[in-house]
Amino acid sequence: MTLIAELRMRAPAARTGWDATRTVRLVLSGSVLFLLLIGANLATPLYAGLQQRLGYGSLGTAVAFASYVLALVGVLVSAGHWSDHVGRRAAMVLAVLVGMAGSAVFAFAGSLLQLCAGRALQGMAVGLATGACAAALRELLPHRPEWASRFTLLASSGGVALGPLLGGALALTSGGPAVPFLLHTAALGVLLVPLVLVRARPAPQLPAGARQGRVLAPRSLRGAVPAPPARASFWVAAATGFLSFALFGYQLALSPGVFARALGHGSPPLLGALAGLSLASSAVSQVLAPAGRRRGRTDGAGGLAVLAASLAALAWGTAAENPAVLIVASAAAGLGQGTAFRAGFDAVAASVPATAHARTVSLLYVVTYLGSAVPVVGLGAAVGAVGLTAAAVGFLGACAGAAAALAAAALVLGARRR
């Protein structure tokens, strides 16, 4: 099989397989990341019910969420460069297989430990796919790096936004909470078929004189940071990503409880839709925003300013238990985040050569995804100590201050460029 040859980093003896068009390859590459992130967020509106059924509290929810992120980050650090050697297609096939295993484990989980195992497998799958899909899109659009980064961000934020909505709706069927994860496993199985059939392009080859174990061994990611003057842009984008995913981690793990209190009820489909509102508006902002490097310089600072104001409004709406403010501020926060992170991601994508793209994107997402783990675990512990409302208000207020500081840094960076 050509797939086995790719995993051994050997060009297949014969150029067999389906030589799909560039459009089909673009769809496949984006679909892998999109579907895996849908599966990773199906559980968002179900955590409250799982807490009652399995007997764990808010800290347990935060730990389950963090197990996904920590596994994802671990794979990005240890295997984020694999697709540079085994090929983009082979890395995506591995990611889909691991994602299927994660959804299957989560579907039948009967304890917090099993939930964490399923979440960890989902994180490993997303970690394998992140660099591979981003690099594949970049290679398929060599002269349009801004569109490659935009497709990557759209697949990411779109999948994360749609996951909670689908999870809440499908959980109401007669099969119960297992249904979303079983359907997701089946959907990944369908996607696996064209991935296995398509011909790898280009075929991977082991570098001359290199050994397989050595090139696949974990690497230091320090070399993935772009050289000056692009280095400052990288760290602003990484800090923006960290803050963005801290907000998204809060929205996906704990905001359903805040919305349930403000609304006075806890319908899973509604809570799933509200929890994914920020991510949905983030995806919309990335689709509708015009391209252009000059505009991107002002978009970063402007988006962060909107994010800071929205987070402050979210903190006030949480304290007042005002659903209208919570809904409007969540949508505005997503628009600000999407605008700021897209501008930063575009700048980073345009500053690195294609050969270093997977490793640089992996490092960017290492920092970004840590925002979904470390702050959210601390927030889960704070909920147990001071209650959900006080912990959420303090967390959102701190994030608002950080966003304002980043907006100032982005303005200074933009002025230096000019």
Side-chain angles (χ1 to χ4, degrees):
M1 293 178 61
T2 61
L3 182 61
I4 300 300
E6 291 162 37
L7 292 173
R8 296 178 59 197
M9 287 174 281
R10 296 284 189 268
R15 298 293 289 147
T16 59
W18 173 33
D19 191 14
T21 64
R22 183 174 67 169
T23 300
V24 170
R25 292 173 185 272
L26 284 169
V27 171
L28 285 175
S29 300
S31 296
V32 169
L33 192 57
F34 179 68
L35 267 182
L36 287 173
L37 283 166
I38 285 178
N41 294 281
L42 288 172
T44 296
L46 309 179
Y47 280 128
L50 289 170
Q51 283 182 216
Q52 295 177 356
R53 181 165 66 87
L54 301 180
Y56 63 88
S58 296
L59 180 58
T61 296
V63 169
F65 192 86
S67 64
Y68 158 79
V69 178
L70 294 177
L72 191 161
V73 169
V75 169
L76 283 175
V77 171
S78 62
H81 62 293
W82 279 13
S83 73
D84 291 334
H85 303 291
V86 303
R88 313 305 182 198
R89 191 274 295 265
M92 286 189 276
V93 168
L94 288 176
V96 170
L97 289 172
V98 176
M100 292 174 68
S103 287
V105 169
F106 206 101
F108 299 106
S111 67
L112 178 59
L113 181 60
Q114 292 173 349
L115 287 182
C116 290
R119 294 291 289 161
L121 286 169
Q122 290 175 332
M124 292 170 63
V126 174
L128 283 168
T130 297
C133 293
L137 290 168
R138 171 73 181 270
E139 288 169 355
L140 291 165
L141 296 168
H143 304 299
R144 301 297 300 273
E146 73 280 3
W147 279 104
S149 64
R150 184 169 297 189
F151 287 148
T152 302
L153 292 172
L154 179 59
S156 300
S157 56
V160 177
L162 190 57
L165 183 60
L166 288 176
L170 293 173
L172 294 180
T173 61
S174 58
V179 170
F181 302 100
L182 294 176
L183 290 176
H184 181 254
T185 304
L188 287 177
V190 172
L191 179 61
L192 191 62
V193 174
L195 276 178
V196 171
L197 293 177
V198 74
R199 181 189 302 174
R201 194 176 68 186
Q205 283 188 298
L206 187 67
R211 290 186 293 181
Q212 183 179 22
R214 180 167 296 178
V215 298
L216 295 183
R219 292 181 180 178
S220 169
L221 287 173
R222 286 181 299 176
V225 179
R231 184 171 296 169
S233 298
F234 174 88
W235 286 117
V236 169
T240 301
F242 183 93
L243 177 63
S244 301
F245 275 60
L247 169 63
F248 291 162
Y250 160 80
Q251 293 278 33
L252 295 171
L254 296 177
S255 76
V258 173
F259 278 113
R261 286 190 179 186
L263 295 169
H265 59 85
S267 167
L270 179 60
L271 293 181
L274 293 175
L277 184 58
S278 291
L279 292 118
S281 60
S282 173
V284 169
S285 73
Q286 291 162 28
V287 172
L288 298 181
R293 291 187 63 185
R294 181 169 296 180
R295 183 175 179 81
R297 294 176 182 177
T298 58
D299 280 355
L304 285 165
V306 171
L307 179 59
S310 303
L311 287 167
L314 269 176
W316 182 86
T318 300
E321 295 188 356
N322 188 314
V325 172
L326 289 173
I327 291 170
V328 173
S330 293
L335 289 173
Q337 179 277 333
T339 301
F341 192 48
R342 177 194 52 78
F345 197 103
D346 283 352
V348 172
S351 68
V352 297
T355 54
H357 193 266
R359 200 151 60 110
T360 301
V361 169
S362 292
L363 177 57
L364 179 59
Y365 274 109
V366 164
V367 180
T368 295
Y369 276 110
L370 281 174
S372 294
V374 179
V376 174
V377 171
L379 181 57
V383 169
V386 301
L388 177 60
T389 300
V393 170
F395 175 79
L396 292 168
C399 288
L406 275 173
L411 279 175
V412 171
L413 182 61
R416 287 178 178 177
R417 286 174 177 170
R418 289 190 293 272

